[in-house]
Amino acid sequence: GAVVSQHPSWVICKSGTSVKIECRSLDFQATTMFWYRQFPKQSLMLMATSNEGSKATYEQGVEKDKFLINHASLTLSTLTVTSAHPEDSSFYICSARGTSGSGNEQFFGPGTRLTVL
Amino acid sequence: GQQVMQIPQYQHVQEGEDFTTYCNSSTTLSNIQWYKQRPGGHPVFLIQLVKSGEVKKQKRLTFQFGEAKKNSSLHITATQTTDVGTYFCAGAQAGTALIFGKGTTLSVSS
């Protein structure tokens, strides 16, 4: 199946710093990428939908100025957590949906575990 | 907004017993997908159901999509220890992002 990578796989940062997470579709073009957050033992919560070349659509309650999303190409989307705080510590997972083939199937990256001290 | 509810939240079974998790949507779906997530891992796609009343099987796993396209179930026959993990259903309306249920965490004792 299609492969989606994320980098880094884990990151520890100090409170107040910014962290960038990359999501790449390795063997297909992703017109749409999604960013989810998952707290321990909880479900995946959709944060935003990112379409290549346009502004991301954020879910209710997600601060767009805090979670900056850029989808500059058909294979790369980035999520920047600005001025991170301990409550932002979570597992961030991206997924990508291709331009053809399996329709609505989303391919998930391995996730990035963020710990803010 | 669209909500996807999933029950039970936890299920423990003895190896060899059957297991079922149920998923209900507040709105009619264009498709429903099922994912499995092992502890520490990321969700892995299992299957997608699109048609009303559709039933699909993968070895010991049986997936059903309701006639009204608002509910779905995953049934595992004769569970094995390798089946442990959290099973998520995720529904979407046409062209929209998947909305995940809270998941059912399955534990299996041998």
Side-chain angles (χ1 to χ4, degrees):
Chain A
V3 179
V4 175
S5 71
Q6 268 184 254
H7 178 81
S9 56
W10 59 271
V11 58
I12 301 173
C13 69
K14 293 182 179 180
S15 183
T17 60
S18 295
V19 175
K20 179 184 283 188
I21 302 170
E22 293 186 349
C23 177
R24 294 181 184 272
S25 56
L26 298 185
D27 52 1
F28 69 103
Q29 292 185 327
T31 51
T32 306
M33 288 186 171
F34 305 92
W35 287 96
Y36 293 84
R37 180 165 57 182
Q38 185 177 34
F39 291 107
K41 298 185 179 182
Q42 294 189 24
S43 186
L44 283 76
M45 299 300 296
L46 179 66
M47 298 176 66
T49 301
S50 169
N51 290 299
E52 185 266 337
S54 63
K55 291 183 178 181
T57 302
Y58 290 81
E59 294 299 302
Q60 191 173 10
V62 178
E63 299 176 58
K64 62 180 181 180
D65 294 331
K66 181 170 182 61
F67 298 99
L68 301 178
I69 292 173
N70 184 281
H71 192 163
S73 77
L74 285 172
T75 60
L76 173 65
S77 177
T78 60
L79 167 67
T80 301
V81 183
T82 62
S83 186
H85 291 285
E87 57 265 30
D88 297 324
S89 299
S90 186
F91 193 47
Y92 292 87
I93 307 175
C94 72
S95 69
R97 187 167 64 198
T99 57
S100 62
S102 54
N104 285 314
E105 182 178 346
Q106 292 179 210
F107 302 96
F108 283 83
T112 297
R113 190 163 301 281
L114 169 64
T115 301
V116 183
L117 302 178
Chain B
Q2 180 188 347
Q3 293 184 357
V4 176
M5 293 146 285
Q6 195 174 350
I7 58 170
Q9 187 175 0
Y10 301 99
Q11 182 77 58
H12 177 79
V13 298
Q14 295 287 325
E15 190 173 23
E17 293 181 339
D18 294 353
F19 159 76
T20 305
T21 173
Y22 300 91
C23 187
N24 284 283
S25 169
S26 58
T27 59
T28 301
L29 303 169
S30 68
N31 72 89
I32 195 159
Q33 301 178 22
W34 286 90
Y35 292 80
K36 178 182 179 180
Q37 185 176 25
R38 294 182 183 274
H42 64 281
V44 174
F45 175 81
L46 294 177
I47 209 161
Q48 175 176 266
L49 303 172
V50 178
K51 299 177 182 178
S52 170
E54 188 170 16
V55 178
K56 287 189 177 180
K57 291 189 176 183
Q58 290 180 349
K59 298 183 180 179
R60 295 179 294 104
L61 277 62
T62 301
F63 303 85
Q64 293 187 344
F65 200 10
E67 294 290 340
K69 300 184 72 174
K70 297 179 70 173
N71 58 74
S72 181
S73 65
L74 158 59
H75 180 81
I76 302 178
T77 304
T79 54
Q80 300 175 359
T81 55
T82 53
D83 294 326
V84 297
T86 300
Y87 293 85
F88 292 99
C89 64
Q93 297 175 315
T96 64
L98 288 171
I99 303 299
F100 280 75
K102 292 188 180 297
T104 297
T105 299
L106 172 65
S107 59
V108 180
S109 55
S110 56

